[in-house]
Amino acid sequence: MQIRELEIPDSYEITPKQFGDDRGVFLEWYRFDRLAEAVGHPLSLAQGNTSVSKRGVVRGIHFADVPPSQAKYVTATHGAVLDFVIDIRVGSPTFGKWDSVLLDDVDRRAIYIAEGLGHCFVALTDDATVSYLVTSTFNAEREHGIDPLDPDVGLVFPDAAGEPLLSPKDTAAPSLAEAAASGLLPTWEAARAYYDALNKGA
């Protein structure tokens, strides 16, 4: 597989090598050792999630308190989504910026999103099926959101997605500026300290 760091530090695009024949396709969609080489430590996986979304559904922007937050390894097993990583770490050199990766059942890419980063995707097809491996279990009290339509973040959804469809929770989420002003966002310093502790533990 090929692993490429995205424009947002501590996030990576993973492109697997696919082996196809007249029976179908085989690939390794997750390799703990290869990812550990890139991020500096192996992932301690705690939970696996799957979502199925119709075209236009937007999930996110979601994040969790640091520490421990929740690193994510995400792929689309059916259909297609455009997956976004947003730097919400106050003090980061790329604070407020984002990058994206097309996840689909053709190239079968994955994206790794470190603790403290924001995550969002928009479904480009009906029945878009996304699977997540995460490093901590869900804790509602530590989970937060930012409005994915915040113009200051400026996520660009493809025309193929159609009209964005948001949950009431995501619709009511604060803007990035509001979240920062309320002290809700993780800091660059706290995230780096957490990454360093994980790397030393490796």
Side-chain angles (χ1 to χ4, degrees):
M1 58 175 54
Q2 296 180 340
I3 300 179
R4 176 180 69 90
E5 188 166 22
L6 299 174
E7 293 184 10
I8 303 305
D10 310 302
S11 64
Y12 296 83
E13 174 195 83
I14 300 93
T15 304
K17 186 175 182 179
Q18 302 189 58
F19 300 90
D21 57 26
D22 57 3
R23 300 169 300 166
V25 176
F26 175 85
L27 66 143
E28 296 175 343
W29 71 277
Y30 173 72
R31 277 280 300 266
F32 86 98
D33 54 342
R34 293 292 307 277
L35 189 63
E37 290 174 5
V39 306
H41 61 272
L43 302 191
S44 179
L45 298 176
Q47 186 172 312
N49 305 322
T50 296
S51 66
V52 181
S53 304
K54 65 181 182 180
R55 177 176 170 265
V57 165
V58 177
R59 298 184 186 267
I61 302 167
H62 298 151
F63 67 98
D65 292 339
V66 179
S69 191
Q70 190 183 68
K72 300 177 180 178
Y73 189 92
V74 185
T75 193
T77 55
H78 178 76
V81 304
L82 187 62
D83 199 284
F84 298 91
V85 55
I86 304 96
D87 197 340
I88 58 169
R89 301 167 296 188
V90 175
S92 167
T94 54
F95 176 75
K97 299 185 182 302
W98 55 269
D99 203 350
S100 63
V101 174
L102 176 65
L103 305 180
D104 61 22
D105 55 13
V106 178
D107 294 320
R108 305 182 195 277
R109 292 186 181 93
I111 185 172
Y112 169 77
I113 299 168
E115 296 88 348
L117 293 170
H119 178 235
C120 176
F121 70 77
V122 58
L124 306 181
T125 62
D126 284 328
D127 297 321
T129 304
V130 174
S131 290
Y132 322 59
L133 301 175
V134 297
T135 58
S136 62
T137 57
F138 177 77
N139 184 333
E141 294 180 357
R142 302 180 64 84
E143 297 282 336
H144 309 288
I146 295 168
D147 180 2
L149 304 183
D150 180 357
D152 288 338
V153 176
L155 298 183
V156 178
F157 300 133
D159 291 341
E163 188 70 21
L165 303 173
L166 279 66
S167 71
K169 181 179 178 180
D170 288 340
T171 300
S175 68
L176 183 67
E178 289 169 340
S182 67
L184 194 63
L185 300 180
T187 66
W188 174 248
E189 292 78 9
R192 299 310 316 169
Y194 190 64
Y195 305 154
D196 289 344
L198 291 173
N199 294 344
K200 289 176 182 177

